[in-house]
Coordinates of all heavy atoms in Angstrom, one line a residue:
L307 N 56.0 -57.2 60.1 CA 55.9 -58.4 59.2 C 57.0 -58.3 58.2 O 57.6 -59.3 57.9 CB 54.5 -58.4 58.6 CG 54.3 -59.5 57.5 CD1 54.6 -60.9 58.0 CD2 52.9 -59.4 56.9
Q308 N 57.2 -57.1 57.6 CA 58.2 -57.0 56.6 C 59.6 -57.3 57.1 O 60.4 -57.9 56.4 CB 58.2 -55.6 55.9 CG 59.1 -55.4 54.7 CD 58.7 -56.4 53.6 OE1 57.6 -56.4 53.1 NE2 59.7 -57.3 53.3
L309 N 59.8 -56.8 58.3 CA 61.1 -57.1 59.0 C 61.3 -58.6 59.2 O 62.4 -59.2 59.0 CB 61.2 -56.4 60.3 CG 61.4 -54.8 60.2 CD1 61.2 -54.2 61.5 CD2 62.8 -54.5 59.6
V310 N 60.2 -59.3 59.6 CA 60.2 -60.7 59.8 C 60.5 -61.4 58.5 O 61.3 -62.4 58.4 CB 58.9 -61.2 60.4 CG1 58.8 -62.7 60.3 CG2 58.8 -60.8 61.9
L311 N 59.8 -61.0 57.4 CA 60.0 -61.6 56.1 C 61.4 -61.4 55.6 O 62.0 -62.4 55.0 CB 59.0 -61.1 55.1 CG 57.5 -61.4 55.4 CD1 56.7 -60.7 54.3 CD2 57.2 -62.9 55.4
N312 N 62.0 -60.2 55.8 CA 63.4 -60.0 55.4 C 64.3 -60.9 56.2 O 65.3 -61.4 55.6 CB 63.7 -58.5 55.8 CG 63.0 -57.5 54.9 OD1 62.4 -57.9 53.9 ND2 63.1 -56.3 55.2
K313 N 64.1 -61.1 57.5 CA 64.9 -61.9 58.3 C 64.9 -63.4 57.9 O 65.9 -64.1 57.7 CB 64.5 -61.8 59.8 CG 65.4 -62.7 60.7 CD 66.8 -62.1 60.9 CE 67.5 -62.8 62.0 NZ 68.9 -62.4 62.1
V314 N 63.7 -63.9 57.6 CA 63.5 -65.3 57.2 C 64.1 -65.5 55.8 O 64.8 -66.5 55.6 CB 62.0 -65.7 57.2 CG1 61.8 -67.1 56.5 CG2 61.4 -65.7 58.6
A315 N 63.9 -64.6 54.9 CA 64.5 -64.7 53.6 C 66.0 -64.7 53.6 O 66.6 -65.4 52.9 CB 64.0 -63.5 52.7
Q316 N 66.5 -63.9 54.5 CA 68.0 -63.8 54.6 C 68.5 -65.1 55.2 O 69.5 -65.7 54.7 CB 68.4 -62.7 55.6 CG 69.9 -62.5 55.8 CD 70.2 -61.4 56.8 OE1 69.4 -61.0 57.6 NE2 71.5 -61.0 56.8
E317 N 67.9 -65.6 56.3 CA 68.4 -66.9 56.9 C 68.2 -68.1 56.0 O 69.1 -69.0 56.0 CB 67.6 -67.1 58.2 CG 68.0 -66.2 59.3 CD 67.4 -66.6 60.7 OE1 66.7 -67.7 60.7 OE2 67.7 -65.9 61.7
E318 N 67.1 -68.1 55.2 CA 66.9 -69.3 54.3 C 67.3 -69.1 52.9 O 67.2 -70.0 52.1 CB 65.3 -69.5 54.3 CG 64.7 -69.8 55.7 CD 65.3 -71.1 56.2 OE1 65.0 -72.2 55.6 OE2 65.9 -71.1 57.3
G319 N 67.9 -67.9 52.6 CA 68.4 -67.7 51.2 C 67.3 -67.7 50.2 O 67.5 -68.2 49.1
I320 N 66.2 -67.1 50.6 CA 65.1 -67.0 49.6 C 65.2 -65.8 48.8 O 65.4 -64.7 49.3 CB 63.7 -67.0 50.4 CG1 63.6 -68.3 51.3 CG2 62.6 -66.9 49.5 CD1 62.4 -68.2 52.2
K321 N 65.0 -65.9 47.5 CA 65.0 -64.8 46.6 C 64.2 -65.2 45.3 O 64.0 -66.4 45.0 CB 66.4 -64.3 46.2 CG 67.2 -65.3 45.5 CD 68.6 -64.8 45.2 CE 69.5 -65.8 44.5 NZ 70.8 -65.2 44.2
A322 N 63.7 -64.2 44.7 CA 62.9 -64.4 43.5 C 63.8 -64.9 42.3 O 64.9 -64.4 42.2 CB 62.1 -63.1 43.1
D323 N 63.3 -65.8 41.5 CA 64.1 -66.3 40.4 C 64.0 -65.3 39.3 O 63.0 -64.6 39.1 CB 63.6 -67.7 40.0 CG 62.2 -67.7 39.4 OD1 61.3 -67.7 40.3 OD2 62.1 -67.6 38.2
E324 N 65.1 -65.2 38.5 CA 65.2 -64.2 37.5 C 64.1 -64.3 36.4 O 63.6 -63.3 36.0 CB 66.6 -64.3 36.8 CG 66.9 -63.1 36.0 CD 66.9 -61.8 36.7 OE1 67.1 -61.8 37.9 OE2 66.7 -60.7 36.1
P325 N 63.8 -65.5 35.9 CA 62.7 -65.6 34.9 C 61.4 -65.0 35.4 O 60.7 -64.3 34.6 CB 62.6 -67.1 34.6 CG 63.9 -67.6 35.0 CD 64.4 -66.8 36.1
S326 N 61.0 -65.2 36.6 CA 59.8 -64.7 37.2 C 59.8 -63.2 37.2 O 58.9 -62.4 36.9 CB 59.5 -65.3 38.5 OG 59.2 -66.6 38.5
V327 N 61.0 -62.6 37.7 CA 61.2 -61.2 37.8 C 61.1 -60.6 36.4 O 60.4 -59.5 36.2 CB 62.5 -60.8 38.4 CG1 62.8 -59.3 38.4 CG2 62.6 -61.3 39.9
E328 N 61.8 -61.2 35.4 CA 61.7 -60.6 34.0 C 60.3 -60.6 33.5 O 59.9 -59.7 32.8 CB 62.7 -61.4 33.1 CG 64.2 -61.2 33.4 CD 64.5 -59.7 33.2 OE1 64.0 -59.0 32.4 OE2 65.4 -59.2 34.0
A329 N 59.6 -61.7 33.7 CA 58.2 -61.8 33.2 C 57.3 -60.7 33.8 O 56.6 -60.1 33.1 CB 57.6 -63.2 33.5
E330 N 57.5 -60.5 35.1 CA 56.7 -59.4 35.8 C 57.1 -58.1 35.3 O 56.3 -57.2 35.1 CB 56.8 -59.6 37.3 CG 56.2 -60.8 37.9 CD 54.7 -60.9 37.7 OE1 54.1 -59.8 37.6 OE2 54.1 -62.0 37.8
M331 N 58.4 -57.9 35.1 CA 58.9 -56.6 34.6 C 58.3 -56.3 33.2 O 57.9 -55.2 33.0 CB 60.5 -56.6 34.5 CG 61.2 -56.5 35.8 SD 61.2 -54.8 36.4 CE 62.3 -54.0 35.1

Side-chain angles (χ1 to χ4, degrees):
L307 173 58
Q308 188 58 62
L309 289 167
V310 166
L311 294 178
N312 291 349
K313 180 69 171 179
V314 172
Q316 179 185 17
E317 287 190 0
E318 298 295 299
I320 301 171
K321 59 181 181 180
D323 64 277
E324 193 60 26
S326 294
V327 174
E328 288 299 328
E330 293 294 337
M331 282 283 293

